[in-house]
Amino acid sequence: MKVFVAGSTGAIGRALVPRLVAAGHEVAGLARDEAKARQVEAMGARAAVAEPFDRESLIAAVRGFAPEVVIHELTSLAGVPDFRRFDDYFEQTNRMRTQVAQSLLAAARVAGARRFIAQSYCGWPYARVGGPVKTEEDPLDRQPPHAFRRTLAAIRFLEETVQSSHDLPAFALRYGAFYGPGTSIARDGAAVAMVRKRRFPIVGEGGGVWSFIHIEDAASATIAAMTRGEPGIYNVVDDDPAPVAEWLPALAAAIGAPPPPRVPTWLGWLLLGEGGVSMMTKVRGGSNAKARRELAWEPRYSSWRVGFAEGL
């Protein structure tokens, strides 16, 4: 199968492209320059050089390859976000979720692709009411923290664009928080460095529920969506959504770091702002039941409890 991957040199792209190549697929990876092109070629794929924000060159690059599947994994992320300036951190990524997503979907149509798969997110976008674990049928937050509003609007736009694609089967994969090689939760990752320095505190009771996914499991779910399931939205997470008060000490133990500090909620507001306190105390996790059922997918690391110990 011919597969075009936008975001081929990012964390998930570096896990996804070699898997696709090893499975015998013909893969083209989007590259913004010659340096990125060499990285794509080193993974065994063909480099398609184009500027993502140049709609015409992007469409031409996709059309020239004539893929059967187009996968949108483009982000512009590095390090750990400042929760007080969350939307600023995600500004470029949000353009990729809106402007570039539209261009790639148009390109997929022009090229005659049979499926379109885009990266979304599972966890904090869900409404912070009701039970701790949400399905794809549950509503997203109508009143997110102020610093998160533009980012959630971009996620909504992406998912609505996918759901309104009736002529081309389209999927939005709501990945959980990535961990594993190339992510911020890796042995050399930025979040792990913060945990080692005790700069990643538990706020209040630490009741915010997070869902995780190992980067290799995210890649395997993406490959499953190339041929399985009905179009729509899927949570791609492990089986074990858990509160911060559980997973953060376990992460510290897995990397041999001291236990994370605990701070009262009022201090959390000063350190992390409204959004950071929400992430630590109020957010909800996601259920992977739909992805397991409809994509016939099973994560290698069914729980971060094993993944933190073995998969970083």
Side-chain angles (χ1 to χ4, degrees), residues 9-30:
T9 60
I12 187 167
R14 294 195 300 272
L16 176 62
V17 170
R19 278 175 169 258
L20 290 170
V21 171
H25 298 292
E26 185 179 351
V27 183
L30 182 65

Side-chain angles (χ1 to χ4, degrees), residues 71-87:
I71 302 177
H72 177 13
E73 302 285 5
L74 279 168
T75 59
S76 180
L77 305 175
V80 179
D82 179 347
F83 293 127
R84 293 166 296 187
R85 303 186 62 190
F86 199 74
D87 283 338

Side-chain angles (χ1 to χ4, degrees), residues 83-84 86-87 124 144-153 274-276 278-279:
F83 293 127
R84 293 166 296 187
F86 199 74
D87 283 338
W124 69 261
H146 183 79
F148 288 48
R149 290 180 184 177
R150 296 199 309 270
T151 301
L152 183 51
E274 176 195 11
S278 178
M279 293 290 286

Side-chain angles (χ1 to χ4, degrees), residues 1 6 9 11 31 57 62 129 142 168 182 200 202 243 256 276 297 301 306:
M1 186 177 294
T9 60
S57 72
V62 176
V129 295
R142 294 190 179 277
L168 172 62
F200 203 137
I202 297 171
W297 166 76
Y301 293 109
V306 176

